[in-house]
Amino acid sequence: MKNFLLLSMVALIFLSGCSNDDGQPRTTDMRINHYRGTGTGEGLFLTYLVQEGEDIGTDNWSNFYSSIEGFSYEPGYIYDLSVTVERIDNPPADGSSYDYMLKEIISKEKVDDETVFNVYLKSGQQSFITGNSDSDYKILNQIEIDCAELCEELDENIQNRDKVVGVFRHLQNNRIQLVGFE
């Protein structure tokens, strides 16, 4: 419940800049990172990591729990988008108060294959890992993990630690390779 309240407050602050006083749709620029993050709310989620406004080009990335209608994400690329944001009058209790629709892809830049990135694999009692050493590991049944010689260490960390952050690099076909732990 604490995580949900914190997430709600962060989302409210983040999204408060998305509406006009008159309630009309507005256009904003967003940067989408080359990998997806993990987050919790009313469940476990894969999130986009986004920058908006003055944060674009900085090291500040925020978890974005919504989808962007018309946007087909491909891992390994950083996107600059123009997005229309429209307020939802009666949003679902566990959903966003805004709809996001792709207006234009401004740029799509491939990151270097050797670029490494961190993803939370476990936070508290919440594990984002599905599968085990006898089957394929995935993040929330969506992103396949190649853990090679680190599979046993991944198992051990997930079972025995409260916080597990994996260090990854991109492979082809929406797969990532575990190269270490933070």
Side-chain angles (χ1 to χ4, degrees):
M1 186 63 166
K2 249 194 230 180
N3 284 344
F4 177 71
L5 290 174
L6 179 61
L7 172 66
S8 298
M9 288 174 31
V10 169
L12 183 60
I13 291 167
F14 177 73
L15 296 174
S16 64
C18 293
S19 66
N20 294 332
D21 291 335
D22 61 6
Q24 295 299 309
R26 73 173 188 92
T27 300
T28 188
D29 290 338
M30 296 177 115
R31 178 167 286 171
I32 310 292
N33 212 340
H34 63 94
Y35 65 97
R36 306 238 0 222
T38 54
T40 59
E42 287 289 320
L44 303 177
F45 296 93
L46 270 177
T47 65
Y48 291 118
L49 298 170
V50 302
Q51 295 176 332
E52 187 176 3
E54 293 179 8
D55 281 338
I56 293 176
T58 69
D59 291 333
N60 300 327
W61 294 92
S62 300
N63 282 331
F64 184 76
Y65 290 79
S66 296
S67 61
I68 301 171
E69 185 179 319
F71 176 57
S72 295
Y73 175 79
E74 186 178 352
Y77 293 87
I78 295 177
Y79 294 86
D80 286 316
L81 308 177
S82 178
V83 177
T84 300
V85 183
E86 188 171 333
R87 186 170 183 76
I88 299 171
D89 288 332
N90 296 308
D94 60 348
S96 174
S97 298
Y98 298 92
D99 272 334
Y100 298 83
M101 293 147 286
L102 179 65
K103 185 173 181 182
E104 175 187 8
I105 296 177
I106 298 166
S107 67
K108 177 182 177 182
E109 184 180 330
K110 182 160 179 44
V111 297
D112 184 273
D113 289 339
E114 297 304 313
T115 300
V116 294
F117 53 95
N118 297 344
V119 178
Y120 275 87
L121 302 177
K122 184 178 180 186
S123 180
Q125 296 302 311
Q126 303 293 328
S127 174
F128 300 100
I129 296 294
T130 53
N132 56 48
S133 58
D134 296 329
S135 64
D136 292 334
Y137 287 101
K138 292 184 180 180
I139 298 176
L140 295 175
N141 283 325
Q142 296 178 53
I143 300 174
E144 188 177 327
I145 298 172
D146 175 355
C147 58
E149 68 278 351
L150 296 174
C151 291
E152 283 184 31
E153 189 175 349
L154 175 60
D155 267 343
E156 192 174 302
N157 285 337
I158 294 296
Q159 291 174 18
N160 299 318
R161 294 177 56 198
D162 285 338
K163 175 183 163 189
V164 180
V165 179
V167 179
F168 295 93
R169 70 178 189 88
H170 292 286
L171 298 174
Q172 294 188 1
N173 300 322
N174 194 29
R175 296 175 56 233
I176 56 179
Q177 180 180 30
L178 181 63
V179 295
F181 296 93
E182 184 179 88

